[in-house]
Amino acid sequence: MTVSCWALLLAGLALSQGQGANAMYSSKSDVLQLNAKNFNQVIMQSNHTSMVEFYAPWCGHCKNLKVDYDKAATSLKGVANVAAIDCDAAENKQLCGSMGVQSFPTLKTFRPGKKSGRPVIEDYQGQRKAKAIVDAILPKINNHVAKVADDSLDGFLSTDADKPHVLLFTDKGKTGPVLRAIAIDYLDVISVGQIRDKETAAVTKFDIDKFPTLLLFPAGEISTPIKYDGELKKDAVMQFLRQVAEPNKPAEKKAKAKKAKKEAKGAKKDKAETESKTASTPTEQQTAPVVVEGPLPVPTLHTPEKLVKSCLHEKAGTCILALVSGSDEDASTKAALESLSELTYKYAKSKRHLFPVFVVPESNAASANIQDALQIKDKSSSPVTLVAVNNRRGWWRPYSEGGDMSHAAIENWIDSIRMSEGVTSKLPQTFLSAVSVNTVAKTEAAAEATAEAEVKHEEL
């Protein structure tokens, strides 16, 4: 048997136990409160698409999201899982870390994949509003509803004749989320199909006089369906279908344990073969993965050419530029660049996406031109001026945390950009001409020499 919303019902006690004093959502909320013990069963093994919020009770952004997330959970109830897990709880920290969570709230969607227990996981980067969350989830609900026509009706009803069949007559072309959710709950138990009103032969055959109309064909009774005359809401329809079959129940723990044991055994075998192969060919040149054990310096763009190629070409997305004035040996400059370096390392280590970050030194002729075009020259009290630029969409945004160049302050600013919070400004028409490659050869050569020296130092 596959996993359905029954998993959520049977996991109820575990869910309620996960709602401690610091739980963001109450027991009356439609948001499922997860913990490390039930996460696999409720989310990873589920046939339903899920949205999971990874939060901390003290997080201000999490508290701001609460009302809209509650509304989204209510709108999607019975159709998709909307859940949350407290990453501040000691028992959940390892799980949150394994999911690459480094800031709060982090929202991820889990869409069941082709293999059981291996959903497709994606970061949600949309607006933190109920409607936006619902709109993002609905298209991700898998569709197991068969499209039926006059010429395929007999084939639909005769396939898997030992199972009941459900057929919805409708005047709509698209399959709604409720019918898709019902098909998921009864996956491999009841065959679910949808047929249009324009399929007149089927409409006449079953005497359909209004749309939508739902017919239930018990196993082996394809000529005598039961017409549903109740309200077309999920709970009511599910109750109607229970007269012929129960929805899916959770997979057996024994089967899960057996599968896990088999996978562990396979991994152990692969590891032994790899080690054996490595030991048998000690003289061969082998390519090992690069392991970064600490923050590396932020890349420096010494010329206008490199600046355009890396960040400001016509198809360039968002990138962060650190415009440095004066010596990079200045204490304030070093502190700011170290914060950027630590932040990029943090994201790389957790395999999370971060906008490209570059240092633009004062020696780069484009630096002063950019500051003039954006009218930010001499406005910053720090020797490092941070700006976010998206040339493809034609906007830019200055650093909004004043002279505070701490790791936390920069991360908050970047997070607000990622969440589309705050105000962006339109790039002026003079911006691109400000970074055009018109530097004299002498300046270019000197910058290139500096760049080459720094690369050699990094390699060492």
Side-chain angles (χ1 to χ4, degrees), residues 320 343 347 354-355 410-418:
I320 307 297
L343 189 58
Y347 274 71
L354 179 66
F355 307 126
I410 295 175
E411 184 171 19
N412 285 338
W413 177 63
I414 291 178
D415 280 345
S416 68
I417 297 173
R418 290 175 60 237

Side-chain angles (χ1 to χ4, degrees), residues 307 321-326 360-380 382-387 396 428 430-431 434-435:
L307 177 57
L321 298 179
L323 306 172
V324 177
S325 59
V360 182
E362 193 173 30
S363 59
N364 187 329
S367 177
N369 295 341
I370 288 175
Q371 295 183 62
D372 286 337
L374 300 180
Q375 298 182 359
I376 56 175
K377 195 169 185 178
D378 300 326
K379 286 187 177 182
S380 174
S382 170
V384 178
T385 301
L386 294 180
V387 292
W396 74 284
T430 57
F431 181 75
V435 294

Side-chain angles (χ1 to χ4, degrees), residues 275-289:
E275 290 177 348
S276 175
K277 185 177 179 180
T278 302
S280 64
T281 57
T283 59
E284 293 182 5
Q285 184 177 3
Q286 300 178 17
T287 303

Side-chain angles (χ1 to χ4, degrees), residues 148-194:
V148 183
D150 282 339
D151 58 1
S152 62
L153 177 61
D154 291 341
F156 169 71
L157 294 175
S158 60
T159 302
D160 295 325
D162 58 331
K163 296 178 183 178
H165 289 66
V166 167
L167 189 59
L168 178 69
F169 287 79
T170 177
D171 56 0
K172 297 180 180 179
K174 292 185 177 181
T175 304
V178 172
L179 189 62
R180 279 185 282 163
I182 291 172
I184 291 171
D185 283 336
Y186 277 99
L187 191 61
D188 298 327
V189 178
I190 294 179
S191 297
V192 180
Q194 176 175 310

Side-chain angles (χ1 to χ4, degrees), residues 193-429:
Q194 176 175 310
I195 188 168
R196 288 291 303 274
D197 55 340
K198 63 183 181 181
E199 305 296 331
T200 54
V203 170
T204 302
K205 180 177 182 178
F206 294 109
D207 193 24
I208 306 299
D209 56 4
K210 65 176 182 178
F211 303 92
T213 292
L214 188 74
L215 298 183
L216 170 61
F217 299 79
E221 300 180 24
I222 62 175
S223 60
T224 55
I226 304 170
K227 184 179 290 188
Y228 175 69
D229 59 2
E231 192 176 16
L232 283 171
K233 291 189 175 181
K234 189 188 177 188
D235 289 344
V237 173
M238 293 286 288
Q239 188 60 39
F240 171 70
L241 298 181
R242 281 191 173 92
Q243 63 183 296
V244 295
E246 288 293 326
N248 291 316
K249 294 181 180 180
E252 293 294 330
K253 291 183 179 179
K254 184 177 180 180
K256 293 181 186 177
K258 184 177 180 181
K259 181 180 178 182
K261 185 176 180 180
K262 183 178 179 180
E263 291 178 346
K265 185 177 180 180
K268 186 175 181 181
K269 182 180 178 181
D270 290 343
K271 181 179 179 181
E273 290 176 352
T274 302
E275 290 177 348
S276 175
K277 185 177 179 180
T278 302
S280 64
T281 57
T283 59
E284 293 182 5
Q285 184 177 3
Q286 300 178 17
T287 303
V290 177
V291 179
V292 180
E293 297 182 349
L296 293 174
V298 176
T300 300
L301 305 177
H302 292 276
T303 67
E305 275 185 329
K306 290 187 175 180
L307 177 57
V308 172
K309 184 177 180 180
S310 302
C311 178
L312 300 179
H313 56 85
E314 61 180 7
K315 295 183 179 180
T318 304
C319 60
I320 307 297
L321 298 179
L323 306 172
V324 177
S325 59
S327 171
D328 57 7
E329 293 300 319
D330 177 80
S332 299
T333 301
K334 291 179 70 174
L337 297 185
E338 284 175 3
S339 293
L340 285 170
S341 177
E342 290 169 1
L343 189 58
T344 55
Y345 172 66
K346 175 181 176 179
Y347 274 71
K349 188 177 180 182
S350 61
K351 298 180 181 180
R352 294 174 63 211
H353 172 70
L354 179 66
F355 307 126
V357 181
F358 301 104
V359 173
V360 182
E362 193 173 30
S363 59
N364 187 329
S367 177
N369 295 341
I370 288 175
Q371 295 183 62
D372 286 337
L374 300 180
Q375 298 182 359
I376 56 175
K377 195 169 185 178
D378 300 326
K379 286 187 177 182
S380 174
S381 59
S382 170
V384 178
T385 301
L386 294 180
V387 292
V389 179
N390 188 310
N391 196 41
R392 184 176 65 225
R393 295 185 179 179
W395 62 258
W396 74 284
R397 179 173 171 177
Y399 184 61
S400 56
E401 304 297 326
D404 185 359
M405 289 287 178
S406 64
H407 179 124
I410 295 175
E411 184 171 19
N412 285 338
W413 177 63
I414 291 178
D415 280 345
S416 68
I417 297 173
R418 290 175 60 237
M419 293 185 291
S420 300
E421 297 177 351
V423 179
T424 58
S425 300
K426 186 177 180 180
L427 284 174
Q429 293 182 349

